[in-house]
Amino acid sequence: MSKGKAARVQGTHSHGPLPACVEGFTRLQHSVTQIIDGSTLIGAADSQAAIEQPYEDNILSSVVAPQEDDLTIVIPDSVASADPETDLASALPEAETTVPVSAFAAFGLRRELLDGLAAIGFEEPSPIQKAAIPELMLGRDLVGQAQTGTGKTAAFGLPLLERLDAGQRTPQVLVLTPTRELAMQVAEAFNSYAACMKGVKVLPIYGGADFRDQIQHLRRGVQIVVGTPGRVMDHMRQGTLDLSGLRSLVLDEADEMLRMGFIDDVKWVLEQLPAERQVVLFSATMPSEIRRISQNYLKDPAEVTIRQKAADGRRIRQRHLVVNGPQKLEALERVLEAEGSEGVIIFARTKAITLTVAESLEQHGYDVAVLNGDVPQTQRERTIERLRDGRVNVLVATDVAARGLDVDRIGLVINYDIPFDGEAYVHRIGRTGRAGRSGEAILFLTPRERRFLGGLERAVNQPIEAMEVPGNASINQHRLDRLRQKLTTALQQPVCNPEERALLAEILQRVAQEQSCSPDQLALAALELGLGSKPLLLQGEERWGQSRPGAPTRERDRDRGDRERGGDRRPFNDRSQERGEDGPEDNMERFRIEVGWRDRVKPGNIVGAIANESGLAGRSIGKIRIFDAHSTVDLPKGMPEDVFADLRRLRVMNKELQISRLGS
Ligand code: ADP
Ligand code: MG
């Protein structure tokens, strides 16, 4: 510690995040070159990692990683560099001193903000932050188009915090977000940036939370309000949210607010605001409705568009496979077995499909959770938490429910249903490859959805490779690998306590004696025992054929159906057999629907619509015949009346199905 200006930090920072305002960390943003305990240089190595993984913001935690109770940090201070004592360059080998000064300082942000950023490890502004912060610091309106994960929160949060008037007690900044989760996330982000600022109060307000509580907080004085449109309007109408002193409004994820039907609310809020105000609009896409808002309510806005960097996409390996609708579930199980990673998100189009998929996976022993619009807020938060800490490994979600979901440990995203457009695809696959990690994305396409592949490839600006549904050979290989892994782990980390182990050893010895067998034979028997009832390997063809009829799940279902009927056990093991007969299968019922060739309906439209509405798995929808002005479809017997009623009103090709039972 002979050279350099040493800031001594006493304390307990060896674990977990640092308190944001620790004395001595206040200059950290000037450099990541730090010396710990007078000898170890960590900054240089870390800064390399930081360049490769710009969003892996763990610089601080790695600084404090060594188990030191007494941490000494040396910071070259450019202001004091006239002092030879602080000339770090001469104290260190050249290569290790070339770490740049925090680029955030260049925006002219106040010291407290820079400290806050240093504490959470932001060093380099992201492209949208580079572009937006200077404009917003000038007080300009701004329209920003950028995908999720590009750092928009800090892009508006930092300049708005910078311009905050600590003396004013009424709200100065209002951020509208489409969902409660996003409101909380944004409020938390504001709090973390402002951790070193005095007297900044941020309040998230959203539906479902206690109204009075929010009023209390608002009364006590809040500068920044982050909320969902509905609840914000409620407070405005009641006079509990005074926006007369508002300086800035942010519309975060504007397109999502449009999609969720909040756009009139947003306009209403805009109309209540003071004439002199700054409006910031961020959106991943720019539908014309959003454009119009920016034309009508923003004054000469700065426009910033950030194209998804190709490099970002390349961190995510993207593949697609083609599978017929009825075989999707089995294909999914196979993909999960052969490609599954630590955290998986499966995207489905509707709530009903999320449930079908989750149920099926649960039966196959996966720890699954569902996130869709029906899941109550409190449970959603718990679900995300469980996914984050690994208690749940597979999440089945709809687009809206997973919006903004930020969980690092997602290694694989499966698009079980094709997303509506390229933007949605980009957003979905962006749930993996977070925080600088790599990720995998697999897209399921039915044969007729193949034509959409090109559009999605254009959206990510790279090819989405073809893959096959994993065949028995690769699944078996995977199972063997996993078994080897588990066995190795069991050897290294015994599960039983020493007494139990002694007893086990005794049993082994006894059996070995009685049966006079070798240790190898014994180990093998133990291993087989551990396998349980599930067969180790899948039998049959090595590859998985699309036309293969007897997917195991189907066979099981059929068996069950036959048993329940207690009658005819004629096996259905061939599709041609089904085609040969005329009436519906025994456990099916035939229905008439009022769309036909004239309406240009295709079987896929019918299956899709009925599956969405009824919650039936696509595979349980039977034969479809399309006639000139009507069609017939076979559905499982025993359809509940309410489902039937919904189906009657269901529209396909813009015509009501008017579904009716045939021959009943
Ligand atoms: P968006 O709103 O565009 O989806 P967020 O603002 O939620 O993106 O940021 C995505 C993630 O990136 C967050 O975890 C955030 O903390 C992190 N992040 C944002 N800006 C930076 C930065 N300059 N350096 C490091 N991490 C950042
Ligand atoms: Mg955001």
Side-chain angles (χ1 to χ4, degrees):
M1 288 282 82
S2 56
K3 300 240 172 181
K5 195 159 141 196
R8 262 193 118 63
V9 183
Q10 302 285 346
T12 53
H13 312 126
S14 17
H15 318 282
L18 275 164
C21 308
V22 181
E23 266 276 55
F25 270 91
T26 51
R27 284 203 210 93
L28 212 52
Q29 74 279 358
H30 288 305
S31 167
V32 287
T33 306
Q34 296 127 31
I35 295 179
I36 288 183
D37 208 19
S39 55
T40 330
L41 182 81
I42 293 188
D46 276 353
S47 64
Q48 188 52 44
I51 289 161
E52 283 161 16
Q53 306 188 346
Y55 282 65
E56 184 78 65
D57 35 292
N58 277 335
I59 305 302
L60 274 189
S61 30
S62 55
V63 168
V64 295
Q67 306 287 306
E68 308 290 345
D69 275 349
D70 186 354
L71 192 61
T72 306
I73 296 178
V74 175
I75 299 158
D77 187 333
S78 52
V79 181
S81 67
D83 177 357
E85 282 256 313
T86 62
D87 187 2
L88 203 72
S90 62
L92 295 166
E94 250 177 41
E96 294 169 333
T97 60
T98 52
V99 183
V101 161
S102 160
F104 282 103
F107 293 126
L109 295 171
R110 58 176 99 181
R111 166 54 51 92
E112 294 94 320
L113 277 174
L114 296 177
D115 294 344
L117 291 179
I120 55 173
F122 284 22
E123 301 189 319
E124 274 292 319
S126 71
I128 187 116
Q129 291 161 5
K130 271 193 198 127
I133 291 176
E135 302 288 353
L136 294 178
M137 296 268 280
L138 295 173
R140 279 191 77 176
D141 285 4
L142 182 136
V143 179
Q145 186 177 355
Q147 301 301 336
T148 320
T150 46
K152 292 189 285 291
T153 321
F156 63 78
L158 296 173
L160 297 188
L161 279 167
E162 175 65 35
R163 290 166 54 83
L164 215 60
D165 175 358
Q168 183 186 324
R169 305 268 298 158
T170 59
Q172 300 169 43
V173 174
L174 171 64
V175 183
L176 291 181
T177 67
T179 65
R180 164 177 163 146
E181 280 84 14
L182 277 172
M184 291 193 296
Q185 263 179 38
V186 170
E188 262 166 41
F190 266 98
N191 274 326
S192 68
Y193 311 148
C196 297
M197 280 171 75
K198 289 233 164 57
V200 177
K201 288 268 183 300
V202 185
L203 180 69
I205 59 178
Y206 38 73
D210 187 50
F211 207 83
R212 283 154 183 268
D213 201 46
Q214 295 174 353
I215 294 178
Q216 294 263 308
H217 278 95
L218 287 167
R219 283 224 183 96
R220 265 181 249 139
V222 165
Q223 284 103 8
I224 298 168
V225 174
V226 187
T228 48
R231 185 51 73 94
V232 165
M233 283 172 72
D234 291 344
H235 279 289
M236 287 170 71
R237 287 212 184 93
Q238 292 210 4
T240 41
L241 177 58
D242 170 13
L243 294 184
S244 60
L246 193 87
R247 296 158 168 234
S248 309
L249 172 76
V250 180
L251 305 175
D252 195 16
E253 310 235 13
D255 53 348
E256 194 55 27
M257 290 200 273
L258 171 72
R259 218 171 292 174
M260 294 176 67
F262 293 145
I263 216 63
D264 290 335
D265 298 354
V266 168
K267 284 187 198 158
W268 185 86
V269 172
L270 275 161
E271 271 150 23
Q272 316 306 310
L273 299 184
E276 280 303 315
R277 80 287 158 114
Q278 177 183 31
V279 182
V280 185
L281 185 157
F282 277 117
S283 200
T285 59
M286 277 295 157
S288 52
E289 212 25 58
I290 299 297
R291 278 248 163 267
R292 266 200 296 282
I293 289 202
S294 88
Q295 279 154 9
N296 294 343
Y297 295 93
L298 276 66
K299 283 188 215 117
D300 180 31
E303 297 207 13
V304 177
T305 303
I306 304 295
R307 297 247 159 268
Q308 186 92 346
K309 264 190 292 164
D312 285 345
R314 243 175 268 132
R315 258 202 333 243
I316 301 169
R317 179 175 175 215
Q318 300 166 54
R319 289 174 291 167
H320 78 269
L321 52 83
V322 178
V323 58
N324 285 315
Q327 274 133 15
K328 267 178 149 181
L329 260 184
E330 198 203 341
L332 177 67
E333 279 147 21
R334 287 178 166 268
V335 166
L336 275 180
E337 242 206 89
E339 307 271 342
S341 79
E342 53 161 1
V344 182
I345 298 189
I346 299 169
F347 280 99
R349 196 163 5 196
T350 67
K351 295 174 203 168
I353 302 175
T354 57
L355 295 180
T356 314
V357 168
E359 268 162 29
S360 160
L361 293 180
E362 205 149 59
Q363 277 169 13
H364 285 80
Y366 288 95
D367 297 324
V368 192
V370 170
L371 210 59
N372 64 34
D374 282 349
V375 178
Q377 288 293 353
T378 44
Q379 197 180 324
R380 290 168 79 160
E381 282 147 36
R382 254 180 285 139
T383 301
I384 293 173
E385 209 35 59
R386 278 161 60 215
L387 181 68
R388 200 166 270 143
D389 65 25
R391 271 173 297 163
V392 156
N393 216 32
V394 181
L395 181 72
V396 191
T398 53
D399 286 283
V400 169
R403 185 89 197 181
L405 189 99
D406 190 6
V407 176
D408 285 350
R409 60 180 283 280
I410 303 302
L412 171 64
V413 168
I414 298 178
N415 287 286
Y416 183 75
D417 292 317
I418 189 173
F420 289 114
D421 53 26
E423 307 286 356
Y425 177 74
V426 170
H427 178 262
R428 283 177 175 190
I429 67 168
R431 299 309 94 205
T432 184
R434 311 284 288 179
R437 302 184 191 200
S438 60
E440 302 263 341
I442 297 176
L443 167 69
F444 282 34
L445 295 173
T446 60
R448 55 179 275 281
E449 286 167 345
R450 261 194 199 141
R451 62 203 161 97
F452 299 121
L453 185 63
L456 298 183
E457 288 179 324
R458 274 192 297 283
V460 288
N461 199 14
Q462 77 181 86
I464 301 172
E465 308 158 42
M467 69 177 276
E468 284 184 21
V469 177
N472 290 353
S474 77
I475 287 184
N476 288 342
Q477 187 54 52
H478 207 77
R479 287 187 181 177
L480 292 174
D481 289 346
R482 237 187 352 237
L483 182 60
R484 187 162 41 99
Q485 188 55 48
K486 271 161 81 178
L487 198 57
T488 313
T489 315
L491 262 181
Q492 291 161 349
Q493 304 161 2
V495 209
C496 297
N497 62 41
E499 285 142 52
E500 289 171 337
R501 301 195 86 210
L503 289 172
L504 289 178
E506 210 178 291
I507 293 179
L508 286 179
Q509 211 173 22
R510 210 166 129 190
V511 175
Q513 257 169 16
E514 285 168 6
Q515 303 293 320
S516 52
C517 63
S518 71
D520 278 356
Q521 287 171 310
L522 204 56
L524 212 55
L527 199 52
E528 282 176 351
L529 195 64
L531 285 176
S533 56
K534 194 176 170 185
L536 173 61
L537 297 180
L538 293 175
Q539 303 298 331
E541 294 161 48
E542 301 225 311
R543 286 167 55 125
W544 191 75
Q546 305 277 319
S547 56
R548 217 171 53 90
T553 42
R554 293 169 65 94
E555 275 160 11
R556 259 206 317 275
D557 289 348
R558 292 257 157 79
D559 280 344
R560 207 185 301 131
D562 283 347
R563 262 198 309 282
E564 277 160 13
R565 243 180 28 247
D568 177 9
R569 276 163 200 273
R570 182 168 40 94
F572 295 96
N573 52 7
D574 191 339
R575 282 215 151 228
S576 61
Q577 223 171 317
E578 293 172 26
R579 245 178 270 128
E581 59 181 31
D582 221 339
E585 283 177 35
D586 295 81
N587 44 357
M588 303 289 268
E589 218 177 339
R590 184 155 295 173
F591 294 84
R592 176 188 163 112
I593 51 179
E594 303 305 321
V595 283
W597 283 126
R598 277 192 211 161
D599 310 300
R600 304 208 193 137
V601 75
K602 300 207 177 57
N605 306 123
I606 297 174
V607 172
I610 292 181
N612 286 355
E613 192 61 33
S614 65
L616 279 173
R619 69 186 151 90
S620 53
I621 296 175
K623 206 189 314 179
I624 292 179
R625 284 177 153 191
I626 298 184
F627 298 90
D628 197 33
H630 78 280
S631 309
T632 64
V633 53
D634 294 351
L635 298 174
K637 279 185 181 156
M639 182 194 300
E641 267 318 304
D642 57 327
V643 175
F644 190 67
D646 286 344
L647 287 183
R648 274 189 73 78
R649 287 189 302 271
L650 182 64
R651 298 181 82 86
V652 174
M653 311 311 284
N654 220 10
K655 279 186 74 177
E656 264 188 21
L657 285 190
Q658 291 293 343
I659 193 166
S660 56
R661 287 196 165 80
L662 262 186
S664 57

